[in-house]
Amino acid sequence: MFLTVKVLSFIILVIFSVNLFLVIYNFIRRFLTQIKYQRLDRARNYFTRILEEIFRAPSVDLSKLKPKLKVSSSLERQALLETLLNYSSRQPEKSFIFAQELGYIEEYEKKLNSSKPYERGEAFRTLAILGSKRSLERMLEALQRENHPEIAFVGFLSCLKLIDKAYFKTFFNLLYEKQKQRVLNLRSVSLIINDFIDRFKEQASFAIYDFLKEQPPSNSFRIALLEGFYYSKHLDETLLRIVKEHLNFEHPEILAKALKVLSKAVEFDKEVGSEEILPFLRHPSWFVRLSALKVLEKKITPEMVEHVAPLLEDKNALVRREAAKALFKLPIEELIIRLPSLLEIKDPYGRDSLVEEMVMSGVWERLKDGGIKGPLKSYVENIMSFLQLNYKMA
């Protein structure tokens, strides 16, 4: 009994000691961290005052300023770099000169070859923010060796901030290689292409066109390319011409992506006529039919109704809804004339889609409030009687 009490007392003492140690350790760690950040803030404030004076002056004598920017610890060096990075957007040339003179450019060029992924990623970002165009070739060489997906993604986006027309071909060939090696997934590739187009606009369009002509890529790369087109803010005639060429492919996902881009284009019919889209309404893949409807929705005419109406009885619910949505983009007079016959389709799900869209589009409110009169009155009465009988809406 006495032995058991002693053992229990010892265990309690050990637990108490461990907990006390952890509390003291956490307190010291937080205290030291707080001191570190206070020192970092003081160093940042000091370098901010110095650089503010420097950047206001029309000319700078670096030999006189170097003593003021001298650092005695890694923490102060970090503070100076962070301050330079903050100024790089406002004073890019001076920030780069200072970074070069203080050895940051050379330091981060070496870090591109580090065995630690986070150091390589930091090197790509830092060199890009400082605008070190002299480092671009080394960054591209590092990208060629890079097999870490996140670091490769950061590397490509960083290089985009520095490249010019002379490097477009190298950049795209490297991007394609990394996608083939599965270092970059399709989502990453599409985001890089999106950024490329938004940065360089017409130059990017011509570069992509030339790349596709010189080296026809895989279907997966084409899918990422079209996805990048869709999310880009810039969509010109050259890109639309590329999209049109992809309508000749048999791969259903490529077709769907190409149609998706056209659905976004304000004036897609400069390159692609509506009659070229209509055949895709009969495509075996539902997502191709859906994308085709999204394109025609913007340009639907009474002549297209006979092509769109059968999709109200499609097997896929999304296609049925999109068909109803497209039909309700018709001018109201044309819609009211055709609505009674459309509501007579056999498929109840198709009728439900029409009625849902009638409510969503506001047409139901106009019918209910008697806002449509004149020659269309008889059509309205037919529609209302159908709704009373089948949906008890009136």
Side-chain angles (χ1 to χ4, degrees):
M1 181 70 180
F2 177 72
L3 184 62
T4 305
V5 171
K6 287 187 72 175
V7 170
L8 285 173
S9 300
F10 177 75
I11 292 171
I12 292 169
L13 181 63
V14 169
I15 293 171
F16 175 78
S17 302
V18 169
N19 283 332
L20 182 63
F21 170 78
L22 290 174
V23 169
I24 295 170
Y25 172 77
N26 283 331
F27 174 78
I28 294 171
R29 186 170 59 86
R30 289 179 183 178
F31 180 70
L32 292 175
T33 302
Q34 190 174 5
I35 291 174
K36 176 186 173 182
Y37 281 116
Q38 286 175 351
R39 288 177 58 203
L40 194 60
D41 285 338
R42 284 197 297 270
R44 282 198 204 103
N45 292 334
Y46 169 75
F47 290 127
T48 299
R49 288 196 302 272
I50 299 295
L51 291 175
E52 192 70 39
E53 293 175 11
I54 293 170
F55 289 144
R56 281 178 184 172
S59 59
V60 180
D61 187 349
L62 290 173
S63 60
K64 292 180 180 179
L65 290 170
K66 274 190 176 181
K68 291 184 179 181
L69 298 173
K70 190 175 180 181
V71 294
S72 57
S73 67
S74 59
L75 189 138
E76 288 182 357
R77 188 167 177 78
Q78 178 189 344
L80 178 53
L81 176 61
E82 288 177 7
T83 309
L84 276 173
L85 293 174
N86 288 335
Y87 276 97
S88 62
S89 59
R90 288 181 284 167
Q91 298 278 354
E93 291 182 9
K94 287 184 178 179
S95 296
F96 171 71
I97 291 169
F98 275 106
Q100 191 171 21
E101 288 294 323
L102 295 167
Y104 286 112
I105 302 299
E106 187 177 354
E107 176 187 342
Y108 279 89
E109 283 179 347
K110 289 178 180 177
K111 283 188 176 182
L112 290 170
N113 301 316
S114 171
S115 59
K116 300 174 182 177
Y118 74 89
E119 285 192 352
R120 299 198 300 274
E122 183 188 14
F124 278 119
R125 280 191 294 266
T126 303
L127 292 170
I129 294 171
L130 290 172
S132 179
K133 292 194 174 183
R134 71 161 228 185
S135 307
L136 180 59
E137 288 193 10
R138 292 191 182 185
M139 290 168 73
L140 291 170
E141 288 171 6
L143 263 181
Q144 203 160 14
R145 298 187 299 271
E146 188 59 65
N147 290 315
H148 191 290
E150 291 178 13
I151 307 306
F153 179 65
V154 169
F156 276 102
L157 291 180
S158 299
C159 287
L160 279 176
K161 296 177 181 178
L162 302 175
I163 66 171
D164 55 28
K165 191 176 178 180
Y167 287 94
F168 284 175
K169 184 176 180 180
T170 303
F171 180 85
F172 252 90
N173 286 336
L174 186 55
L175 181 63
Y176 181 40
E177 283 301 313
K178 289 300 168 185
Q179 189 272 321
K180 278 202 302 184
Q181 295 167 7
R182 298 189 178 182
V183 174
L184 292 173
N185 59 32
L186 298 187
R187 178 62 176 158
S188 297
V189 173
S190 70
L191 289 172
I192 293 166
I193 290 167
N194 179 9
D195 191 31
F196 177 67
I197 295 169
D198 287 343
R199 281 180 184 278
F200 298 103
K201 298 182 171 59
E202 288 84 3
Q203 286 187 340
S205 304
F206 291 129
I208 294 169
Y209 185 82
D210 291 340
F211 169 77
L212 292 173
K213 291 297 179 187
E214 290 177 14
Q215 182 179 331
S218 63
N219 286 339
S220 57
F221 190 83
R222 290 179 184 275
I223 290 166
L225 190 72
L226 292 167
E227 189 74 3
F229 287 8
Y230 179 75
Y231 288 105
S232 172
K233 296 174 185 175
H234 176 81
L235 193 61
D236 57 26
E237 291 184 10
T238 305
L239 293 180
L240 285 175
R241 194 175 304 123
I242 294 170
V243 173
K244 181 182 178 180
E245 290 175 0
H246 283 83
L247 294 178
N248 298 320
F249 281 69
E250 293 183 3
H251 195 289
E253 198 166 350
I254 289 178
L255 291 174
K257 294 290 184 187
L259 291 164
K260 185 179 175 182
V261 177
L262 291 178
S263 72
K264 177 192 171 185
V266 177
E267 296 182 346
F268 71 85
D269 47 359
K270 283 186 176 180
E271 291 295 330
V272 184
S274 298
E275 67 281 355
E276 295 179 71
I277 307 299
L278 290 173
F280 293 111
L281 295 176
R282 300 187 297 274
H283 196 276
S285 297
W286 68 267
F287 48 87
V288 175
R289 300 195 297 275
L290 179 68
S291 298
L293 282 168
K294 287 182 181 291
V295 178
L296 295 172
E297 176 186 307
K298 301 174 71 172
K299 301 283 184 179
I300 191 165
T301 61
E303 291 74 26
M304 295 181 195
V305 173
E306 61 179 297
H307 300 280
V308 175
L311 294 180
L312 290 170
E313 301 182 272
D314 197 274
K315 293 179 180 179
N316 186 276
L318 293 175
V319 175
R320 292 195 298 269
R321 287 176 193 166
E322 194 62 37
K325 188 177 176 182
L327 289 167
F328 273 82
K329 297 291 183 182
L330 284 165
I332 190 66
E333 295 83 4
E334 298 290 344
L335 175 64
I336 296 300
I337 290 170
R338 288 166 173 76
L339 205 48
S341 60
L342 290 172
L343 288 168
E344 290 176 1
I345 61 173
K346 294 179 181 180
D347 191 332
Y349 297 112
R351 290 198 303 271
D352 290 347
S353 297
L354 279 171
V355 174
E356 286 173 16
E357 190 58 36
M358 190 185 303
V359 174
M360 296 292 291
S361 64
V363 171
W364 163 243
E365 287 297 324
R366 293 184 64 181
L367 292 174
K368 187 174 67 171
D369 297 340
I372 300 172
K373 298 177 181 177
L376 299 175
K377 186 177 179 181
S378 61
Y379 294 101
V380 173
E381 289 174 353
N382 288 339
I383 295 168
M384 296 295 282
S385 62
F386 176 87
L387 294 175
Q388 278 182 333
L389 181 64
N390 295 280
Y391 290 90
K392 297 181 182 180
M393 289 175 65

